[in-house]
């Protein structure tokens, strides 16, 4: 079974999470962030999945429905939307809030799977969890965490944390500041363990009053057989508007595009039945990722267009992310902007954001 | 016993041999159209948009592929308990079975299927036309006329009328005469092959017709003329809008290209009467920095490094660096490698065109239907193959090509 | 191309003629069982509980009713895009079609269907046994043994072993000999007719077998013995638990009555490996003030005014005031009017027993299988009919009864 | 299209609505209250249905899912769960709160149906809305309200209100106190009108600040062609624990049972796949309505058992409503009680409520 939970305060995405939870933030021209984790689980044979969500659940509900697109609309098991213990607004950045799981203890109890995969909701990758489970079994591990090697250039605290891992995969330490200029093993906020072990840990957390699972693991490195599984593929970590922007733009590299969307299986999302995108006679596009149902009559460069976007004649869009059903009228000039859903930019408007600090325009705005 | 107001029977039996190598592997209704659809999507979507929840699909040529495309019908919202979409191949009884002889034979063999739902009306449609129609409006018309049979009809150019079944009606739309491909048509109102019957009436005629050894068991040739002779109340329902039989390579090519017009007569962007389709699970398409795409339709999963102009691409198409695609149709998962030139060609599903091939080479600019080049499904060209304009390639092995 | 680990092929072709008038109208897998189920529910539920999402149901006798019962498979959670449950009647090619000859012929005719999913393993099961089994455990066993074929087997009483296909194995479970209905069985391990094959291996053998004009195209008689002879790795997977073929009136009756025991060997209340079924939309059952119900199973939609003892009722049954039902099975929608006596009888679907009839009258208390009275489906008895114990009524018209 | 809204404060059902909204209160051995209205709509050909629900939506969500059992799990239209404008706890008894509809104005706008049926959520009956629409069209009415004739015995204010209706069906008045001993036409809180007329009325209500649709109709009797459609069948009005208890008990009349469950079409509900109910050798039952999956070993009289109830040996249950999965152990004696879901009554317990004031035991209690 799998559980997708919130590990971050949702305020970090600002306008993008004003009316939706992190899991339902649009990503990559067609998807919501949760589509990646959910598809990875389904592609790895996990069909009993609980999604813990904050109070801004409506858009996520709309998106997931009964889970049909993911093959999760089942009578027994399938997809379950679970309440969070506290509104995200009060939530600090906590690496796996066991309080949320305590709130849903009955769901854990009723499930019948032996192993459980717990993940956060702000890492985007295409990963095969079956391999990871094999690794877990082979090592006779009690807990398997996931990491990716990254060279860190700054000695700032990274709230994800880093694992110290021996050659055989055994975890021996955990720390929050990286070694500069070296490869560090950054935590992916994904954990495999037996369902019953997690239930025990929840009881411990309840007794101790410390709900951070990463803390509990770090404190028990000697008593638990904790192993770390290395993920070598492309990883997008979304923890700010800037990283959200950067990671979307990385999809404009065809290798990243191919890896993220095809490597271990397809990424499922809600089907909209839009027509193909239509390029007009005077369309000019270079380095773009485009969803279905768009009408492109202007210039688009180095940008991502979600489904149903219209780009008017003479308009010029550069380094931007344009979400679903947004309408860019004639002769508009956009550079370094993120436009949320159903925005309308009127004729001749010019909007330019900073190179690493895009302007974000909220859903349904008319400018 | 269930009781439904109406059920639809979709005739999808035709092999569509005039589409040449496009229907070598699949039946005509399963042929791709319009950048992401298959021809049968239009009829099935019409059913859904008309509030029909039970559709029998009559098929015999390559039924398995159609079956697996239709699946449980969820793409068209037809995955309904107590209804749904059913692929109905010919039935084998204890004494064996045989292919459907004519359209009326196909429905006649499935009387039991229809009787299960005990419907008042049966809508008979075919799966190989491109059009959007709300059949419930036609049903209203049928009821208001207290008709036994209603036939949808469209005005065709007078010069083409001789190729259709022409309906001659009185001022109220009641059909007085049925002229199959008349030399001197008295009207230009052509039958669209869309019928609403009162089920008890149709059932009786189907049983009669099946007992007539002389009959070709065809609606147009046998059953409808017999009904007219017997004085049944038969009405013509006039349809206005786009309606196209894409039965030949030329009409198929033109109908696809029509979609590229600035204000196309048939608008797939129109949200009214939406066209549903089974979407492959693919990411948004990617257009590289050096690519050029103009006046084209591009769906999910395409990757374009080259130049695409006035063309219709289907899901999963790859166009390599420096390749130039012009006035062409590339069906799902076609891969055109770098440096190719493709001109006024249709390339079949999953075919791979190796580097620096030239397809439809030497076409002149004036449109000549005979000069469309057609490459079949799953063809694999090595580097540098040149296919002359107007060729039709259905097989390719070790440099030998079979021109069909 | 899709790639699935395994698909299931469910043999539901049998007419089940030993069930007499219960299978006059429907195939054996569609016969009701256990108060709300149909026999095929158990196999389909096993598939769902084992994580199988693609099931081909091979049928030829009355396929339409089975088709409409299975629908899109949502009752068993099998309404899955990219998978699902497909009813596969014999295929009609251009040259015609014929009924399946044997079990291997049925699978062999559907090689294309299976190839669509490109599975590693194929599970072959039959649709007419009552049991709960997690086939995924058997698949693990199959993989661990690196087997080509695994056959599920159960220990039967030695005296009955001669009625089964008996498997003689070495200490590791590898099958050494295959004894079809042996006179002097060397073991009491009987094949349950549940097979897991590596698909490439099975496919090869099916093609071979279809080309052998001498073959009866049957797994037990032809294909499995041939595989054994060729030295394939074939293992017996021992199953423990309830498993019953309900192929005769006596075994059908007994298996139903078994469920009424205090701690039945086969427990339909067990939440583990749940049995799914297509539920008719009916309200909770109602038991009137003057009614008496004891030691019985009662599902939704029943209305009881009379007395019911040691009986199994199905959805929508009506028992009128003063009627007494004892040791009986009343199938869906049976209506027993006031004052009737029904004793040790099976009454078929939708039959109506008029007031003051006596069914199975004169039965003595000692159980004698020959004395079960069977009334077929849709029989309509007027007031006061008396049916003697042990009769089997398949038709009734104007006071004339046809005893089958 | 249809809209099911809340017309009552949900506090009136006390313990029964502590953890759920009125629409998801269990009723009739197998159902939730909303099943009846939803099934009536579906059986009358309405397939675009919005359900307005209070903040206690979780159990309703669980029950409805994507609407599969009602055939409403469609890509276009189907079932839509809509938020209420204000938590039910602040809600007065208001006869159609247009504020809830104002909150969902966009949904109304996007719908394509010409006619709209608006209903409350606390009337249970089996009604054919097609006939009512015919009546509406035939009279060329702008608004059609529904009523049932009842003889009233007390001159107390009935918050539903009564319509004055002429012989031709035209409504001429509305009042809150009935004529004693006479037939009065009590309102069913169901209304048919054109969708666009309702949208106009919402705008009027917004401008006026009075959100009660019944008030607006009553004030415009002369300006609007309002007709009243008579419903002649069985009607259960649930507006208190007492009426809830009484209406459940009325189902033990076979005529009521038949009418409510069969008359104009079946009542759909969530399918649970339970086995048939098993009566043991020493079971004794008289006048009971029993769901599937029960095990009855004791005495049950004049009671309603929901799905999966166990009645132990020697137990005696009388005049009671026992909800899903509740377990009555051996030798328990119950009289005039309502036990919510998953209650356990331990061996030998005796619980007796007053004849018209049943004891209500909350969900999951162990007594």
């Amino acid at each position: 079974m799998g559980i997708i939970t919130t590990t971050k305060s949702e305020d970090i995405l600002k306008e993008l999470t004003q009316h939706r939870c992190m899991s339902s933030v649009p990503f990559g021209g067609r998807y919501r962030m949760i589509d990646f984790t959910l598809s990875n689980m389904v592609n790895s044979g996990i069909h009993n999945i609980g999604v813990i969500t904050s109070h801004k659940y409506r858009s996520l509900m709309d998106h997931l429905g009964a889970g049909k697109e993911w093959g999760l609309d089942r009578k027994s098991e399938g997809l379950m939307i679970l309440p969070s213990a506290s509104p995200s607004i009060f939530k600090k950045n906590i690496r796996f809030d066991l309080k949320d799981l305590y709130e849903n203890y009955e769901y854990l109890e009723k499930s019948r799977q032996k192993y459980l995969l717990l993940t956060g909701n702000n890492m985007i990758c295409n990963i095969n969890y079956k391999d990871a489970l094999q690794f877990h079994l082979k090592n006779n591990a009690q807990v398997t965490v996931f990491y990716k090697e990254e060279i860190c250039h700054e000695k700032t605290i990274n709230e994800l944390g880093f694992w110290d891992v021996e050659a055989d995969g055994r975890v021996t330490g955990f720390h929050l500041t990286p070694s500069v200029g070296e490869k560090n093993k950054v935590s992916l906020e994904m954990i495999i363990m037996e369902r019953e072990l997690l239930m025990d840990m929840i009881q411990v957390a309840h007794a101790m009053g410390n709900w951070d699972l990463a803390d509990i693991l770090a404190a028990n490195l000697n008593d638990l057989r904790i192993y770390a599984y290395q993920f070598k593929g492309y990883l997008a970590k979304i923890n700010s508007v800037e990283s959200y922007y950067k990671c979307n733009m990385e999809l404009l590299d065809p290798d990243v595009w191919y890896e993220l969307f095809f490597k271990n299986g397809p990424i499922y999302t809600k089907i909209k039945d839009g027509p193909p995108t239509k390029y007009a006679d005077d369309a000019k596009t270079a380095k773009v990722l485009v969803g279905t149902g768009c009408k492109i009559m202007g210039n688009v460069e180095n940008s991502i267009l979600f489904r149903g976007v219209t780009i008017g004649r003479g308009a010029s869009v550069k380094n931007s992310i344009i979400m679903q059903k947004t309408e860019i009228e004639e002769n508009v000039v956009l550079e370094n902007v993120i436009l949320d859903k159903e925005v309308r930019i009127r004729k001749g408007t010019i909007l330019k954001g900073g190179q690493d600090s895009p302007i974000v325009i909220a859903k349904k705005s008319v400018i | 016993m269930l009781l439904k107001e109406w059920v639809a029977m979709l005739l999808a039996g035709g092999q569509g041999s005039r589409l040449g190598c496009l229907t070598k592997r699949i039946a005509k209704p399963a042929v791709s159209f319009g950048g992401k659809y298959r021809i049968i999507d239009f009829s099935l979507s019409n059913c859904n948009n008309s509030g029909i929840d039970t559709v029998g699909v009559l098929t015999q040529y390559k039924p398995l592929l159609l079956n697996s495309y239709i699946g449980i019908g969820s793409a068209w919202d037809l995955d309904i308990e107590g209804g749904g979409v059913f692929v109905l191949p010919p039935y084998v009884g204890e004494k064996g079975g045989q292919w459907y002889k004519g359209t009326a034979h196909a429905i006649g063999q499935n009387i039991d299927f229809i009787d299960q739902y005990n419907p008042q009306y049966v809508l008979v449609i075919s799966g190989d036309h491109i059009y959007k129609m709300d059949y419930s409006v036609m049903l209203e018309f049928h009821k208001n006329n207290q008709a036994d049979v209603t036939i949808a009809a469209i005005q065709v150019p007078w010069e083409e009328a001789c190729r259709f079944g022409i309906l001659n009606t009185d001022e109220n739309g009641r059909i007085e005469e049925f002229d199959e491909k008349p030399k001197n048509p008295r009207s230009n109102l052509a039958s669209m092959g869309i019928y609403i019957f009162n089920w008890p009436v149709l059932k009786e005629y189907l049983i009669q017709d099946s007992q007539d050894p002389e009959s070709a068991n065809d609606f147009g040739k046998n059953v409808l003329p017999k009904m007219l002779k017997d004085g049944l109340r038969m009405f013509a329902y006039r349809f206005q809008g786009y309606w196209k039989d894409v039965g030949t390579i030329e009409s198929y090519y033109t109908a696809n290209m029509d979609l590229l017009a600035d204000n196309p007569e048939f608008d797939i962007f129109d949200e009214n009467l939406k066209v549903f389709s089974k979407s492959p699970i693919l990411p948004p398409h990617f257009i590289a920095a050096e690519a050029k795409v103009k006046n084209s339709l591009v769906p999910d999963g395409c990757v374009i490094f080259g130049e695409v102009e006035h063309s219709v691409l289907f899901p999963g198409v790859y166009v390599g660096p420096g390749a130039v695609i012009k006035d062409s149709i590339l069906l799902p998962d076609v891969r055109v490698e770098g440096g190719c030139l493709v001109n006024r060609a249709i390339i079949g599903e999953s075919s791979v065109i190796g580097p620096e091939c030239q397809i439809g080479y030497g076409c002149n600019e004036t449109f000549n239907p005979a000069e469309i080049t057609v490459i079949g499904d799953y063809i694999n060209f090595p580097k540098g193959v040149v296919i002359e304009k107007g060729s039709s390639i259905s097989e390719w092995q070790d440099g030998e090509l079979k021109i069909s």
Side-chain angles (χ1 to χ4, degrees), chain A residues 75-280:
Chain A
K75 277 184 172 182
S76 41
E77 309 195 330
L79 184 69
M80 192 77 167
I81 309 245
L82 302 169
S84 171
S86 50
S88 67
I89 197 161
F90 304 127
K91 190 162 276 184
K92 286 185 299 188
N93 285 345
I94 177 170
R95 297 170 302 274
F96 289 116
D97 190 350
L98 290 180
K99 208 166 182 176
D100 283 346
L101 295 168
Y102 182 72
E103 179 83 354
N104 295 290
Y105 196 78
E106 202 183 335
Y107 171 69
L108 287 174
E109 240 174 359
K110 278 190 181 170
S111 294
R112 297 185 308 173
Q113 285 76 16
K114 184 162 182 195
Y115 298 99
L116 177 142
L117 170 69
L118 186 63
T119 80
N121 64 349
N122 63 329
M123 301 272 185
I124 290 175
C125 61
N126 192 322
I127 183 171
N128 184 341
Y129 289 122
K130 266 189 192 161
D131 290 349
L133 182 61
Q134 283 306 321
F135 173 90
H136 180 83
L137 295 175
K138 210 188 67 203
N139 286 309
N140 201 15
Q142 289 176 287
V143 177
T144 293
V145 297
F146 292 67
Y147 71 90
K148 182 173 162 64
E149 281 192 339
E150 282 186 357
I151 295 171
C152 298
H153 300 291
E154 279 176 83
K155 201 172 180 68
T156 48
I157 286 183
N158 181 323
E159 86 280 356
L160 293 171
F162 301 91
W163 298 104
D164 300 326
V165 184
E166 291 186 356
D168 67 348
R170 179 83 188 246
V171 172
T172 55
F174 180 74
H175 51 271
L176 291 172
T177 42
S179 317
V180 175
E182 284 175 35
K183 279 189 180 167
N184 287 275
K185 297 177 166 60
V186 61
S187 165
L188 294 200
E189 301 198 328
M190 300 171 189
I191 296 178
I192 290 176
M193 65 176 104
E194 286 188 20
R195 180 172 53 89
E196 289 186 356
L197 178 59
L198 180 65
M199 285 164 65
D200 290 348
M201 286 189 187
I202 293 169
Q203 294 295 357
V204 169
H206 183 48
M208 287 174 23
N210 180 354
W211 295 104
D212 190 328
L213 177 57
D215 283 353
I216 295 176
L217 293 181
N220 288 281
L221 288 174
N222 296 323
D223 303 329
L224 286 167
R225 287 181 62 83
I226 305 183
Y227 279 76
Y229 176 82
Q230 187 179 4
F231 172 67
K232 293 177 177 168
Y234 172 77
L235 176 75
K237 296 191 298 266
I238 314 289
N239 48 28
S240 63
V241 173
E242 289 70 31
S243 61
Y244 171 81
Y245 177 69
K246 185 179 130 283
C247 293
N248 266 288
M249 287 304 163
E250 283 171 354
L251 298 178
L252 296 174
D253 173 347
D255 294 337
V256 170
W257 180 86
Y258 187 81
E259 182 183 328
L260 192 57
F261 293 122
F262 290 96
K263 198 177 183 190
N264 296 295
I267 306 300
Y268 301 92
T269 189
K270 188 170 176 178
I271 290 169
K272 299 269 187 183
D273 288 295
T277 281
K278 189 165 184 176
Y279 290 82

Side-chain angles (χ1 to χ4, degrees), chain A residues 227-354:
Chain A
Y227 279 76
Y229 176 82
Q230 187 179 4
F231 172 67
K232 293 177 177 168
Y234 172 77
L235 176 75
K237 296 191 298 266
I238 314 289
N239 48 28
S240 63
V241 173
E242 289 70 31
S243 61
Y244 171 81
Y245 177 69
K246 185 179 130 283
C247 293
N248 266 288
M249 287 304 163
E250 283 171 354
L251 298 178
L252 296 174
D253 173 347
D255 294 337
V256 170
W257 180 86
Y258 187 81
E259 182 183 328
L260 192 57
F261 293 122
F262 290 96
K263 198 177 183 190
N264 296 295
I267 306 300
Y268 301 92
T269 189
K270 188 170 176 178
I271 290 169
K272 299 269 187 183
D273 288 295
T277 281
K278 189 165 184 176
Y279 290 82
D281 230 6
D282 29 14
K284 251 183 89 179
T285 46
K287 219 177 165 196
V288 290
L289 187 69
V290 185
T292 47
C294 298
K295 287 188 177 180
I296 302 179
M297 290 163 280
N299 281 11
V300 189
E301 200 186 319
N302 201 45
S303 294
I304 294 180
L305 308 187
F306 282 67
R307 296 184 273 198
V309 166
T310 306
I311 308 285
R313 255 170 244 286
S316 163
V317 176
K318 223 173 141 178
N319 308 333
S320 295
I321 300 171
I322 316 287
M323 294 188 198
Q324 204 182 315
K325 287 193 182 167
T326 279
E327 215 183 315
I328 314 292
E329 296 187 351
E330 291 172 33
N331 302 319
V332 164
V333 178
L334 300 176
E335 208 175 314
N336 306 326
V337 300
I338 300 177
L339 306 186
D340 206 329
K341 283 173 65 175
E342 295 171 47
V343 165
R344 202 176 123 217
I345 308 289
R346 281 185 288 208
K347 273 187 197 175
T349 308
I350 300 178
L351 281 176
K352 293 194 185 190

